[in-house]
Amino acid sequence: MSDKTIILKIEDIHKSYGKEKVLKGISFSVKEGETKVIIGPSGTGKSTLLRCINGLTKPDKGHVWLDGVEITNSNVNLDRVRQSIGMVFQNFNLFTHLTALDNVRIGLVKVKKLPRDVATEKAIAMLKKVGLEKKAHLYPAQLSGGQQQRVSIARALAMDPKLILFDEPTSALDPELIGEVLYVMKNLAESGMTMVVVSHEMGFARSVCDEIIFLDKGVVVEQGPPDVLFNHPRNKRTREFLCKISELYGESGER
């Protein structure tokens, strides 16, 4: 994958809230078609980092490039940039008054200005991709948590993003519903979608990702391919964290 284009480049990102330094100089890059999984304890800045990447949070210092364009530049149109970055949140963030179809279609009509019939056809195709075309006319309250999260993935896919960010996409789900979301994410990774995933699902990380980034106390402690990081972590803090995760979720890291 060495000849692939770098889609995302993050350089020396810092972010503080008051006196609390949340991110202390994060740097890494993601090539086209790669899946990178960010792991680490709660409160260590993982979600803040994703928000800095898609412009929801402005970093205090540092730079983010998407496909060669610096999106931390004050002259950049952030609304346009966000069309190229899909975001899947842990709590789904669906419009409760809209059907699954409308939740996926709305961005295509309002943002991309597609004709309604074209938007409808594309939205149904995206719902089919996540196995929910038969649920298109149901409202979020009529769907399980796993189905709602799959709708939110379909919504992100519909915008043809260059990159999708996943912020702990399974953490709000009951254990029996996690597998259906991870299955969709694995298919996306295998199809070549470029993804950055914040997750504690180590089984998913082991089987799918190109690189794991271990974040702790606002810094990258260690990063590397899953087989290296899981089997031969160099840093003591990485070993401690992975031991705790395996105690909680078992050796596979899946609940």
Side-chain angles (χ1 to χ4, degrees):
M1 206 170 271
S2 58
D3 58 342
K4 295 271 188 174
T5 305
I6 291 177
I7 293 292
L8 177 70
K9 184 181 177 187
I10 295 159
E11 186 179 274
D12 197 30
I13 290 293
H14 291 253
K15 183 65 187 177
S16 297
Y17 293 106
K19 292 182 178 178
E20 185 188 358
K21 290 185 177 180
V22 180
L23 300 175
K24 306 171 187 173
I26 305 293
S27 300
F28 65 89
S29 61
V30 184
K31 291 178 181 174
E32 183 183 4
E34 280 189 327
T35 295
K36 298 216 172 179
V37 174
I38 301 173
I39 64 172
S42 296
T44 198
K46 303 185 299 293
S47 294
T48 299
L49 176 59
L50 291 193
R51 293 175 67 87
C52 286
I53 291 170
N54 79 347
L56 286 172
T57 295
K58 184 175 169 56
D60 300 328
K61 181 187 170 189
H63 308 276
V64 178
W65 287 269
L66 179 69
D67 206 11
V69 176
E70 187 188 346
I71 62 178
T72 38
N73 187 312
S74 56
N75 296 322
V76 162
N77 182 332
L78 264 181
D79 290 333
R80 189 170 294 161
V81 164
R82 287 200 196 103
Q83 291 182 39
S84 299
I85 304 177
M87 183 86 177
V88 177
F89 300 88
Q90 62 188 74
N91 292 317
F92 323 139
N93 282 22
L94 297 177
F95 294 109
T96 56
H97 65 292
L98 297 180
T99 63
L101 175 60
D102 282 326
N103 265 285
V104 177
R105 180 170 55 191
I106 190 168
L108 296 171
V109 174
K110 300 277 188 188
V111 179
K112 291 219 162 185
K113 309 294 184 190
L114 292 183
R116 191 174 175 83
D117 59 334
V118 176
T120 300
E121 190 177 326
K122 179 152 193 179
I124 288 172
M126 293 304 105
L127 285 169
K128 188 172 185 178
K129 198 163 189 171
V130 299
L132 287 176
E133 71 274 21
K134 292 180 180 173
K135 307 283 186 181
H137 298 292
L138 296 183
Y139 290 88
Q142 298 171 294
L143 300 171
S144 71
Q147 290 169 339
Q148 289 182 61
Q149 192 59 294
R150 282 151 63 197
V151 172
S152 70
I153 293 172
R155 178 179 60 186
L157 286 171
M159 301 299 283
D160 294 321
K162 295 175 180 175
L163 166 74
I164 300 185
L165 308 175
F166 292 84
D167 189 5
E168 300 201 27
T170 58
S171 66
L173 300 178
D174 293 332
E176 66 267 24
L177 301 177
I178 288 171
E180 65 188 61
V181 173
L182 293 180
Y183 177 76
V184 168
M185 291 171 65
K186 283 179 183 178
N187 285 344
L188 285 180
E190 287 163 5
S191 72
M193 175 58 68
T194 310
M195 311 196 304
V196 177
V197 183
V198 169
S199 182
H200 289 304
E201 301 295 340
M202 298 299 142
F204 170 81
R206 273 181 190 271
S207 63
V208 172
C209 84
D210 297 279
E211 185 174 59
I212 293 175
I213 298 168
F214 174 47
L215 208 63
D216 190 27
K217 296 179 181 172
V219 299
V220 175
V221 175
E222 191 167 347
Q223 63 191 98
D227 57 335
V228 174
L229 216 76
F230 282 118
N231 300 323
H232 309 287
R234 297 188 307 276
N235 192 285
K236 181 187 174 191
R237 182 68 190 97
T238 312
R239 287 195 295 274
E240 290 170 352
F241 178 77
L242 291 173
C243 279
K244 281 210 174 90
I245 288 289
S246 66
E247 284 170 17
L248 279 172
Y249 301 135
E251 283 302 314
S252 70
E254 289 182 330
R255 282 176 271 183

